Amino acid sequence: MTLTGRTALIAAVGALFVGFVLPSWLGVLTVQLTLLIAILCDLALAAPARKLHFTRTGDTTVRLTDEARTHLTLTNPSRRTLRAEVRDAWPPSSFHPGTDIAASRHTVHIPTAERRRLTTALHPTRRGDHQAVRVTVRSYGPLGLAARQAHHHVPWTLRVLPPFTSRKHLPAKLARLRELDGRTSILTRGEGTEFDSLRDYAPGDDTRSIDWRATARQQTLAVRTWRPERDRRILLVLDTGRTSAGRVGDIPRLDASMDAALLLAALATRAGDRVDLLAYDRRIRASVQGHNAADLLPALTDALASVESELVEADARGLAATIHRRTPRRSLIVLFTGLDTAPVEEALLPVLPSLTQRNEIIVAAVADPRIEEMAAGRHTPQAVYEAAAAEQTRAARRHIADRLRHNGITVIDSTPTHLAPDLADAYLALKAAGRL
């Protein structure tokens, strides 16, 4: 039983009234008895909170930062009208901090044998599976003096997917891909590895592309044109070790890497390449293999939704062994990891020769834009100190990047907003150069 503020108000008014007509002790006793009887009657007329029936419907998946709606249908099977406050509780990360909690509270008035649908709007702030906690019902009597309260478990799971904000870059990258592949009216040809067609020689064409047999047959100079090879294998590797847990701006490095991986996967599938995914630190955290172009992006977003950084050092040797098992033939391996000096020099560099022997490798790292801001500061002694620290950090990252490039690796070191398009550009450049 729950007493309300209205009960206290009635008690105070009653005490004030009888205090003038009855002796003090008799007046207090009368008020208490009257109030007790009113409370018991009100409580007896309240609809039972434990016998209510609930069903759920609504969204089961949503992209991070988008709104999801879950619907709770409440049925009143009792013979009394339900006057209640209902709270549909979810984890705090299912709402904007301090702004949307009120959306989970509802006031209902349901006559006997009727039902109402209550809608809760969710704005998740974290990826992963969000579970409904419980439904709390506080059923009041007609006078609102007391209430019955009960909790109900009405399960529901909302999977929050990566936001894929970089998809806005996809049309521009696809246009470049069509130019590269020779499907636009521009007919730009890049030297690739698959023969495409023959055409007449034009001044400025590479003489090495002349097809002398075709020239002899048609008695005019004919040149071979090429297009980037299709059906190449691409393995996206996410390092989920401790370095991926660092936050850059408002998001973890891992989330920025996921966004870049999704854009590259969308672009590569349009280019006819096969894309797989591996998330690894000391064991496999997520894996996507063998999906066709139509199913790949849904499979990737679903697999990445629940992947979180682990506060452990990544096992580079175990990662290399897993990559070897996943890539039986020459592939493009895109490794999303950090450019911190110790992890790269002690763990990654020793295993790179075994990976670069038969694969093309891109290392994609998330740079902190705050470092650039600090490096530009000179207006105070504190800013000068910060600028010196930023320059030292940048020099260390450049040194590591140069060592990786010395091993034949393409290095992309960009801020979260630029990592995805820069990585897509690097992929197209490899296509144009015939290195895939």
Side-chain angles (χ1 to χ4, degrees), residues 306-321:
S306 57
V307 175
E308 297 290 347
S309 301
E310 301 293 328
L311 300 181
V312 296
E313 203 70 57
D315 179 11
R317 294 190 180 277
L319 176 60

Side-chain angles (χ1 to χ4, degrees), residues 164 166-167 169-170 173-174 177 234-237 257-271 273-276 296-297 300 332-336 362 364 412 419-428 430-431 436:
F164 193 15
S166 63
R167 63 181 178 271
H169 300 290
L170 187 58
K173 304 308 176 185
L174 289 176
L177 178 65
I234 300 175
L235 179 61
L236 306 176
V237 182
S257 298
M258 288 181 181
D259 192 54
L262 290 174
L263 179 63
L264 180 58
L267 181 61
T269 53
R270 299 291 185 90
D273 293 334
R274 296 178 57 188
V275 180
D276 295 333
L296 179 64
L297 277 181
L300 288 178
L332 170 63
I333 298 171
V334 183
L335 176 59
F336 297 89
I362 297 177
I412 309 296
L419 180 63
D422 289 351
L423 178 59
D425 289 341
Y427 166 78
L428 292 172
L430 292 176
K431 281 278 188 183
L436 291 184

Side-chain angles (χ1 to χ4, degrees), residues 54-332:
F54 295 88
T55 56
R56 276 197 189 275
T57 56
D59 297 327
T60 56
T61 60
V62 66
R63 289 196 181 277
L64 188 65
T65 71
D66 289 347
E67 180 184 275
R69 290 182 173 270
T70 63
H71 309 294
L72 189 67
T73 302
L74 191 160
T75 304
N76 177 20
S78 70
R79 296 182 179 180
R80 305 185 189 101
T81 298
L82 175 67
R83 306 168 185 84
E85 293 178 356
V86 181
R87 185 191 176 200
D88 186 10
W90 288 77
S93 59
S94 300
F95 303 94
H96 285 314
T99 59
D100 293 337
I101 300 299
S104 65
R105 293 179 169 87
H106 311 273
T107 301
V108 297
H109 186 281
I110 307 177
T112 179
E114 293 190 12
R115 68 184 64 184
R116 296 289 185 272
R117 191 174 78 164
L118 312 177
T119 299
T120 301
L122 306 176
H123 295 85
T125 58
R126 294 187 62 181
R127 289 181 295 100
D129 291 336
H130 293 238
Q131 308 281 348
V133 180
R134 64 184 179 183
V135 176
T136 301
V137 180
R138 183 173 291 177
S139 174
Y140 292 94
L143 300 178
L145 299 178
R148 304 182 184 194
Q149 182 167 303
H151 304 292
H152 299 264
H153 180 58
V154 188
W156 193 257
T157 300
L158 177 67
R159 171 155 285 197
V160 182
L161 308 175
F164 193 15
T165 56
S166 63
R167 63 181 178 271
K168 62 186 177 184
H169 300 290
L170 187 58
K173 304 308 176 185
L174 289 176
R176 288 190 55 192
L177 178 65
R178 285 191 295 269
E179 290 184 7
L180 197 64
D181 206 18
R183 291 200 295 267
T184 65
S185 59
I186 301 175
L187 296 178
T188 302
R189 299 289 181 176
E191 184 178 354
T193 55
E194 282 191 1
F195 172 74
D196 185 31
S197 61
L198 292 171
R199 62 172 173 82
D200 291 340
Y201 176 84
D205 285 339
D206 190 345
T207 56
R208 293 174 298 179
S209 298
I210 297 177
D211 190 314
W212 295 107
R213 291 186 179 182
T215 298
R217 288 196 302 269
Q218 62 187 29
Q219 297 182 348
T220 58
L221 281 177
V223 295
R224 294 184 295 269
T225 59
W226 307 85
R227 61 183 174 90
E229 187 175 350
R230 289 177 164 271
D231 197 29
R232 304 295 291 176
R233 295 182 63 91
I234 300 175
L235 179 61
L236 306 176
V237 182
L238 289 170
D239 176 1
T240 57
R242 65 171 183 85
T243 57
S244 66
R247 298 187 71 86
V248 178
D250 294 331
I251 63 172
R253 280 188 165 89
L254 180 60
D255 285 35
S257 298
M258 288 181 181
D259 192 54
L262 290 174
L263 179 63
L264 180 58
L267 181 61
T269 53
R270 299 291 185 90
D273 293 334
R274 296 178 57 188
V275 180
D276 295 333
L277 172 89
L278 175 67
Y280 191 95
D281 43 72
R282 292 186 178 179
R283 63 181 180 87
I284 297 174
R285 302 291 177 176
S287 176
V288 176
Q289 283 184 289
H291 287 270
N292 57 36
D295 298 333
L296 179 64
L297 277 181
L300 288 178
T301 54
D302 186 66
L304 292 174
S306 57
V307 175
E308 297 290 347
S309 301
E310 301 293 328
L311 300 181
V312 296
E313 203 70 57
D315 179 11
R317 294 190 180 277
L319 176 60
T322 305
I323 291 174
H324 281 306
R325 292 194 296 269
R326 296 292 183 94
T327 55
R329 62 172 185 168
R330 181 173 177 80
S331 305
L332 170 63

Side-chain angles (χ1 to χ4, degrees), residues 362-379:
I362 297 177
V363 170
V366 182
D368 191 345
R370 176 62 180 150
I371 299 298
E372 301 298 325
E373 296 175 7
M374 292 170 58
R378 298 289 190 277
H379 54 284

